[in-house]
């Protein structure tokens, strides 16, 4: 502890105070079933129920995007000159002009320079809010506003008849009534300048009117814009207090009742308001004297920090977030951001994902009083319909963490991660979408994400600009259709299915060699030689294409398009044959886990090749890796799938415990973008490697890492649809080394439930007892494990014959809707 903090603590300890801030240890992981704080909310508060989107619009000239951004080094900055007129019957006592978007701007009011702004080009906040008090510059009657803007993004502006930070009906907003010029004309900013020949701006709609405005952290800097929520109306929110105050520094201040911040969710305690004293002049002059607190919310969360002032004067604080303590201490992803609170007003920090939030108290009255400092948790309201629980507590936590990770990524569409990139990526959605299908049975967000990822016709580029990601659009669409039976949505995608398959087919020459004709970025995984224009990447991408073609064929057959289905069946067979010839040698498809896994799940590898692939490559899964063999949790999903298909579910379970369980043991409350058990553990976050970088930029909540949640349901409970909407279903229970497991799978007809236990002592004498519930509308084939030579099992107390399968290790029985007690 710093000396000044120790002195402050000693002084406080000598005073008869009702509550003194105390440091607390990092809490344990929340109990099972309580990781997701929104899980028990029955009546979500949707943003559409209390927020009307703001009317001010993004504007620019007729170019789609501003030119000469901060990243365009060596290019002249694109300058635009905006003008607008506003008539005022009277001049308000207070007036504030707000401006955001451009990298720099000069503001002119009635011909005079009112202010100059320049965005911090090193900040990750792409749109920073500039506020300017302008009441003294306005006049009764007509007023002319001119803005010279350059760099950055489109401009948004408004004038509010209030002091900075106070929300009030606007006097002026940016919109189609503004004029713009790309040419500098002498005197353009003058009050009497004739702008009648200037063209009107292009107005893109209200800044909260389009879901695309809310992606990619593009609006992260608008947190300081009065009235801005920046959240889709279908999302919900709730308030949570910190689990603990993890860290603090008094400086020369006094803090009181900070322990109440760990109890303030919806109900701040008016009798114990948290307060901080500042020097008599109301601000600190030395940065290392500024007091702060660090709040720990006990788990990864998606949302923003909310502060409600009870002070008579304005307050300035800074906010920093971190998914780990290292990040919040050393390198917050969104930086350290200022927040200005008006007297007795409220404010929020940027939207992001974090566990820790640090607040530094910079300026204000001598005593800063806060009704609360709490988390506004922003989430997509869903119910946990699917479930999994077993005799292994670690697997139970892994399943819950995978489900929670995917839920964190369900925001304004399905994102790769709620911290970075906060955008739609198809590869990520192929994994997290599978979890969402199995656990939440969501329809709206899945369909909206898939529709926006494919885009309108004609198709002119790969999904996300990555050939392999085009392939995953088909595989998630097929998985979704099998789980929902949504024929009307599938029909609406028919032309996109055909169009994307034809577009992908351009990437092969006449000999079926992958040539990347579209010349886009090749990416399979972050391991060496698996991204970029390498032979390994081309080979694995071809396998991904085969998998996609076959998924596309099955979808076209569902739609009755036999002509296209037959054509792409032929293409899939041709590509598979070419891959076999070019890639399979010495008993495997090369040395990499990723390529061999994709060869198996694409169907390119034949069943008689499984044994050699296992012996030569996949038996090494879980063994220590070296840098070229590093695998991301993303491609781990396909490795788990391949292990199951080749009959090595026990090895897959062992790897789940080691790999995803390793993250849990290192403190994960959501699964990380990258991981390797061999990486250093002193500060795990700083040593993570992905995205051609390493460190705190890497996400600790990434949807592509959630695979065990779907795998445990589909491979241990064994539930998987074989016809659209689960009308036909296979149930293949597999306990492996577990003593028991139970869970449920949501279907359009209700839950399929499986509950199974081992009976008997000793491995050789153990048998399976299962309880299975099949809802109306579902026909199921159960593949029940038996001892070799068994041809009857007990079903609801009656000896029932079945068809031997899997070399006599299982019996196949047909089950109609009902409740079943089954044992050997």
């Amino acid at each position: 502890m710093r000396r000044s903090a120790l002195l402050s603590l000693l002084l406080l300890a000598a005073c008869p105070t009702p509550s003194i801030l105390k440091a607390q240890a990092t809490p344990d992981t929340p109990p099972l079933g309580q990781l997701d704080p929104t899980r028990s909310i029955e009546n979500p508060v949707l943003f559409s129920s209390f927020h009307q989107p703001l009317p001010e619009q993004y504007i620019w000239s007729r170019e789609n995007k501003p030119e000469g951004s901060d990243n365009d080094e060596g290019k002249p900055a694109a300058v635009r000159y905006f003008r607008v007129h506003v008539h005022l019957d009277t001049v308000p006592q207070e007036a504030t002009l707000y401006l955001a978007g451009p990298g720099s701007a000069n503001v002119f009011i009635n011909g005079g320079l009112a202010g100059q702004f320049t965005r911090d080009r090193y900040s990750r906040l792409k749109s920073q809010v500039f506020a300017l008090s302008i009441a003294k510059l306005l006049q009764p009657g007509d007023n002319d506003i001119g803005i010279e803007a350059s760099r950055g993004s489109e401009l948004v502006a408004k004038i509010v008849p209030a002091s900075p930070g106070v929300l009030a009906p606007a006097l002026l907003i940016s919109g189609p009534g503004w004029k713009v010029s790309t040419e500098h004309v002498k005197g353009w900013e003058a009050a009497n300048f004739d702008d009648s020949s200037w063209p009107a701006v292009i107005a893109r709609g209200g800044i909260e009117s389009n879901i695309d405005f809310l992606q990619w952290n593009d609006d992260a800097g608008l947190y300081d814009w009065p009235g801005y929520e920046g959240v889709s109306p279908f999302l919900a929110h709730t308030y949570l207090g910190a689990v603990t105050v993890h860290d603090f520094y008094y400086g020369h201040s006094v803090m009181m009742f900070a322990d109440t911040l760990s109890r303030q969710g919806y109900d701040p305690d008016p009798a114990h308001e948290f307060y901080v004293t500042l020097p008599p002049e109301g601000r600190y002059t030395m940065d290392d004297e500024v007091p702060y607190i660090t709040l720990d919310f006990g788990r990864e969360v998606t949302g923003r920090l909310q502060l409600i002032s009870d002070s008579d004067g304005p307050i300035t604080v800074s906010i920093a977030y971190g998914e780990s303590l290292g990040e919040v201490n050393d390198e917050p992803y969104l930086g350290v951001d200022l927040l200005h609170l008006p007297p007795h007003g409220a404010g929020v920090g940027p939207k992001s994902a974090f566990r820790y939030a640090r607040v530094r108290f910079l300026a204000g009255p001598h005593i800063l009083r806060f009704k609360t400092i709490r988390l506004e948790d922003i989430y997509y309201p869903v119910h946990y319909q699917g479930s999994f629980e077993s005799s292994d507590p670690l697997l139970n936590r892994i399943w819950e963490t995978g489900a929670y990770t995917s839920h964190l990524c369900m925001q304004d569409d399905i994102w790769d991660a709620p911290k970075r990139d906060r955008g739609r990526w198809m590869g990520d959605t192929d994994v997290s979408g599978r979890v969402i299908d199995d656990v939440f049975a969501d329809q709206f967000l899945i369909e909206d994400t898939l529709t926006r990822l494919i885009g309108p016709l004609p198709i002119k580029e790969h999904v996300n600009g990555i050939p392999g990601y085009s392939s995953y659009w088909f595989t998630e669409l097929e998985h979704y259709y099998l789980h929902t039976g949504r024929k009307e949505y599938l029909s609406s995608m028919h032309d996109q299915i055909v169009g994307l398959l034809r577009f992908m087919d351009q990437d092969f020459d006449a000999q079926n060699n992958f040539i990347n004709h579209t010349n886009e970025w090749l990416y399979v995984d972050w391991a060496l030689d698996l991204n970029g224009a390498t032979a390994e990447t081309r080979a694995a991408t071809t396998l991904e294409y085969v998998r996609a073609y076959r998924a596309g064929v099955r979808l076209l057959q569902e739609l009755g398009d036999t002509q296209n289905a037959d054509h792409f069946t032929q293409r899939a067979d041709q590509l598979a044959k070419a891959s076999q010839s070019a890639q399979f040698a010495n008993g495997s498809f090369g040395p990499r886990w990723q390529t061999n896994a994709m060869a198996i799940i694409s169907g390119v590898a034949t069943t008689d090749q499984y044994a050699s692939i296992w012996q030569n490559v996949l038996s090494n899964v879980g063994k220590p890796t070296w840098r070229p063999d590093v695998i991301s949790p993303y491609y781990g999903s396909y490795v788990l799938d391949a292990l199951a298909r080749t009959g090595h579910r026990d090895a897959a379970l062992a790897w789940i415990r080691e790999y995803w369980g390793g993250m849990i043991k290192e403190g994960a409350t959501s699964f990380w973008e990258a991981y390797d058990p061999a990486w250093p553990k002193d500060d795990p976050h700083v040593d993570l490697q992905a995205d051609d970088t390493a460190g705190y930029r890497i996400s600790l909540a990434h949807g592509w890492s959630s695979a065990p949640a779907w795998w445990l349901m589909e491979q241990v409970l064994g539930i998987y649809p074989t016809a659209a909407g689960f009308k036909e279903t296979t149930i293949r229970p597999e306990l492996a080394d577990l003593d028991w497991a139970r869970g449920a799978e949501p279907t359009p007809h209700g839950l399929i439930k499986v509950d199974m236990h081992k009976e008997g002592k000793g491995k050789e004498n153990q048998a399976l007892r299962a309880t299975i519930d099949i809802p109306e509308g579902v026909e199921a084939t159960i593949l029940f494990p038996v001892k070799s030579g068994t041809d009857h099992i007990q079903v609801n107390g009656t000896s029932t014959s079945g068809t031997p399968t899997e070399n006599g290790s299982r019996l196949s029985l047909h089950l109609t809707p009902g409740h079943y007690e089954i044992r050997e």
Side-chain angles (χ1 to χ4, degrees):
M1 183 180 295
R2 301 183 186 182
R3 185 171 182 271
S4 56
L6 178 61
L7 290 173
S8 296
L9 185 58
L10 292 173
L11 288 171
L12 282 171
C15 300
T17 56
S19 177
I20 300 175
L21 178 64
K22 297 179 181 178
Q24 301 180 36
T26 301
D28 293 331
T29 301
L32 193 67
Q34 298 182 21
L35 187 57
D36 189 337
T38 71
R39 187 168 182 172
S40 60
I41 296 176
E42 293 296 329
N43 298 303
V45 180
L46 300 182
F47 278 85
S48 60
S49 68
F50 64 87
H51 178 64
Q52 184 69 29
L54 295 175
E56 48 264 37
Q57 302 188 41
Y58 290 114
I59 60 173
W60 200 249
S61 56
R62 292 195 174 273
E63 290 81 356
N64 290 331
K65 292 185 178 180
E67 302 167 1
S69 68
D70 290 343
N71 295 325
D72 294 332
E73 296 182 6
K75 295 182 180 180
V79 179
R80 299 293 183 269
Y81 304 91
F82 296 91
R83 284 181 57 86
V84 70
H85 313 281
V86 59
H87 182 87
L88 301 175
D89 292 332
T90 60
V91 175
Q93 186 174 1
E94 295 282 351
T96 306
L97 181 143
Y98 294 95
L99 172 69
S104 62
N106 297 321
V107 177
F108 299 88
I109 297 180
N110 295 322
L113 180 63
Q116 296 178 300
F117 307 109
T118 301
R119 181 175 73 84
D120 178 3
R121 66 183 302 161
Y122 297 105
S123 172
R124 286 198 174 98
L125 300 182
K126 299 178 183 178
S127 293
Q128 291 178 307
V129 176
F130 304 112
L132 178 66
S133 295
I134 62 169
K136 295 181 180 179
L137 303 176
L138 298 175
Q139 61 191 23
D142 292 333
N143 291 265
D144 290 287
I145 313 296
I147 300 175
E148 179 183 9
S150 63
R151 300 184 296 129
S153 57
E154 290 94 341
L155 178 145
V156 58
K158 69 177 176 180
I159 296 176
V160 173
S163 55
V166 177
L167 179 63
L171 299 174
L172 172 71
I173 63 172
S174 51
W178 289 50
K179 298 292 190 71
V180 63
S181 174
T182 59
E183 303 294 332
H184 180 271
V185 179
K186 184 177 181 180
W188 73 272
E189 73 280 7
N192 59 354
F193 180 79
D194 181 6
D195 59 20
S196 60
S197 63
W198 281 23
V201 298
I202 296 297
R204 297 188 61 201
I207 59 175
E208 297 176 293
S209 66
N210 189 326
I211 194 173
D212 287 331
F213 295 163
L214 312 177
Q215 312 284 318
W216 309 106
N217 267 320
D218 285 349
D219 68 332
L222 291 180
Y223 69 93
D224 218 6
W225 188 272
Y228 186 78
E229 294 285 356
V231 179
S232 293
F234 53 76
L235 294 178
H237 78 160
T238 188
Y239 293 111
L240 302 172
V243 172
T244 183
V245 179
H246 189 280
D247 186 22
F248 62 90
Y249 173 57
Y250 291 107
H252 298 297
S253 70
V254 173
M255 294 185 189
M256 295 288 289
F257 301 114
D259 57 332
T260 65
L261 298 179
S262 64
R263 301 194 297 270
Q264 293 183 344
Y266 265 101
D267 302 311
D269 184 356
H272 297 89
E273 289 187 347
F274 168 60
Y275 73 77
V276 182
T277 64
L278 295 185
E281 61 272 19
R283 67 176 60 244
Y284 280 89
T285 57
M286 300 288 290
D287 184 69
D288 63 358
E289 295 178 347
V290 175
Y292 64 77
I293 57 172
T294 303
L295 303 177
D296 179 0
F297 294 96
R299 58 175 67 77
E300 183 90 3
V301 291
T302 299
R304 54 195 172 196
L305 203 64
Q306 183 194 58
L307 295 86
I308 302 178
S309 168
D310 202 23
S311 293
D312 294 332
I315 292 175
T316 300
V317 301
S318 69
I319 293 174
Y321 299 146
E323 293 184 299
S324 64
L325 275 175
E327 182 184 354
V328 81
N329 287 336
D330 301 330
E331 193 181 327
Y333 179 69
L334 291 179
V336 178
D337 306 311
L338 294 178
L339 178 64
H340 306 285
L341 299 174
H344 301 281
V348 294
K351 305 186 303 293
S352 192
F354 54 94
R355 173 173 173 170
Y356 302 93
R358 175 163 294 170
V359 183
R360 292 163 62 89
F361 305 97
L362 301 176
H366 175 52
I367 299 179
L368 310 181
R369 298 185 181 275
F370 295 90
K371 291 182 178 180
T372 188
I373 302 176
R374 62 188 178 181
L375 168 72
E376 183 183 17
D377 191 337
I378 300 171
Y379 68 100
Y380 182 72
V382 287
H383 294 293
Y384 281 69
Q385 300 183 56
S387 61
F388 174 85
E389 189 178 8
S390 74
S391 55
D392 186 340
L394 178 58
L395 286 182
N396 300 341
R397 175 59 73 184
I398 289 170
W399 180 87
E400 185 180 25
T401 305
Y404 181 50
T405 301
S406 287
H407 190 206
L408 285 170
C409 296
M410 299 172 75
Q411 291 288 317
D412 303 289
D413 272 352
I414 298 170
W415 289 346
D416 62 330
K419 179 183 86 171
R420 183 200 61 85
D421 300 314
R422 296 176 71 86
R424 311 175 193 100
W425 289 101
M426 191 59 243
D428 305 69
T429 303
D430 192 45
V431 180
S432 62
R434 197 161 179 171
V435 176
I436 292 165
D437 294 336
D438 283 343
V439 178
F440 306 118
D442 172 69
Q443 294 183 6
F444 167 74
L445 214 59
I446 288 278
E447 291 184 5
D448 195 69
T449 301
L450 290 176
T451 300
R452 292 176 184 271
L453 277 167
I454 190 66
L457 295 169
I459 293 173
K460 298 180 180 179
E461 60 184 1
H462 280 293
V463 176
N464 294 125
I466 304 173
Y469 277 24
S470 289
S471 75
Y472 293 130
W473 187 82
F474 293 100
T475 51
E476 171 50 29
L477 178 59
E478 181 190 28
H479 191 270
Y480 173 73
Y481 176 63
L482 283 172
H483 281 67
T484 64
R486 290 264 299 153
K487 189 71 167 286
E488 58 271 36
Y489 177 68
L490 183 63
S491 297
S492 73
M493 290 289 105
H494 171 268
D495 291 350
Q496 280 83 353
I497 292 171
V498 175
L500 185 55
L501 286 171
R502 289 174 177 169
F503 183 81
M504 293 167 66
D505 230 16
Q506 300 176 83
D507 283 327
F508 296 93
D509 63 17
Q511 290 72 44
N512 295 310
N513 299 308
F514 187 88
I515 58 172
N516 193 19
H517 173 77
T518 50
N519 198 32
E520 298 197 67
W521 178 42
L522 300 183
Y523 171 78
V524 174
D525 200 8
W526 289 118
L528 189 66
D529 291 335
L530 282 175
N531 68 91
T534 69
E536 190 78 24
T537 307
R538 288 191 291 271
T541 300
T542 302
L543 298 172
E544 293 172 341
Y545 271 41
V546 174
R547 180 172 177 249
Y549 280 31
R550 288 178 170 161
V553 164
R554 290 187 288 268
L555 294 173
L556 290 171
Q557 290 170 340
E558 285 285 322
L559 294 173
D561 185 351
T562 56
Q563 181 177 357
N564 280 306
D566 290 346
H567 171 72
F568 285 106
T569 295
Q570 183 181 22
R571 291 295 297 127
D573 291 343
Q574 291 169 348
L575 296 179
K577 182 178 180 180
S579 293
Q580 268 280 350
S581 175
Q583 297 183 42
F584 188 78
N586 301 317
S588 70
F589 287 79
R592 310 299 282 275
W593 302 354
Q594 292 94 327
T595 308
N596 283 274
M598 189 54 63
I600 290 167
I601 66 175
S602 67
V604 171
T606 59
T607 54
D608 61 352
Q609 293 171 338
Y610 286 0
S612 65
I613 292 174
W614 164 256
Q615 181 177 352
N616 293 323
V617 179
L618 293 185
S619 61
N620 294 318
V621 170
K623 295 180 180 178
T625 60
W626 59 292
R627 183 67 189 95
D629 287 334
V630 166
I631 187 169
S632 69
Y634 155 57
Y635 233 83
S637 178
Y638 308 118
V639 172
L640 289 175
D641 199 350
L643 289 172
R645 295 189 190 210
T646 55
H648 295 284
R649 292 173 181 82
D650 53 347
L653 277 174
W655 191 45
I656 287 173
R657 292 183 178 106
E658 178 193 4
Y659 190 85
W660 284 269
M663 292 187 232
I664 298 287
K665 293 171 185 175
E666 293 189 39
T669 59
S670 53
F671 286 132
W672 304 341
E673 179 181 5
Y675 183 66
D676 190 288
W679 288 344
K681 305 185 186 306
D682 291 342
D683 182 359
H685 195 178
V686 78
D687 290 305
L688 302 186
Q689 304 170 32
D691 208 4
D692 286 337
T693 188
Y696 298 123
R697 182 176 181 271
I698 305 304
S699 165
L700 295 192
H702 224 79
W704 77 2
S705 304
S706 58
W710 73 256
W711 193 93
L712 291 167
M713 296 175 70
E714 294 185 13
Q715 298 300 335
V716 175
L717 301 180
I719 307 170
Y720 193 79
T722 51
F726 283 91
K727 289 181 180 179
E728 297 176 11
T729 302
T730 295
I731 302 175
R732 186 193 182 281
E734 174 71 79
L735 276 179
D737 61 358
L738 298 170
D739 293 325
W740 59 268
R742 57 175 170 255
E745 173 81 32
T747 81
H749 312 281
L751 294 177
I752 297 174
K753 299 179 181 178
V754 173
D755 187 339
M756 50 186 170
H757 295 73
K758 285 179 180 175
E759 292 183 325
K761 295 182 179 180
K763 186 175 181 180
E764 296 299 323
N765 296 318
Q766 285 183 336
L768 185 69
R769 175 172 59 86
T771 300
I772 297 176
D773 289 282
I774 312 280
E776 290 292 335
V778 175
E779 301 281 331
T781 297
I782 183 168
L783 304 176
F784 198 80
V786 295
K787 297 182 180 64
S788 179
T790 302
D791 59 5
H792 285 70
I793 55 176
Q794 295 290 316
V795 180
N796 290 341
T798 300
S799 179
T800 306
S801 63
T803 302
T805 187
E806 297 187 27
N807 296 320
S809 64
R810 291 180 181 261
L811 282 187
S812 173
L813 284 83
H814 179 73
L815 300 181
T816 57
H819 174 81
Y820 297 92
E821 301 279 348
I822 305 175
R823 65 179 63 193
E824 187 174 348

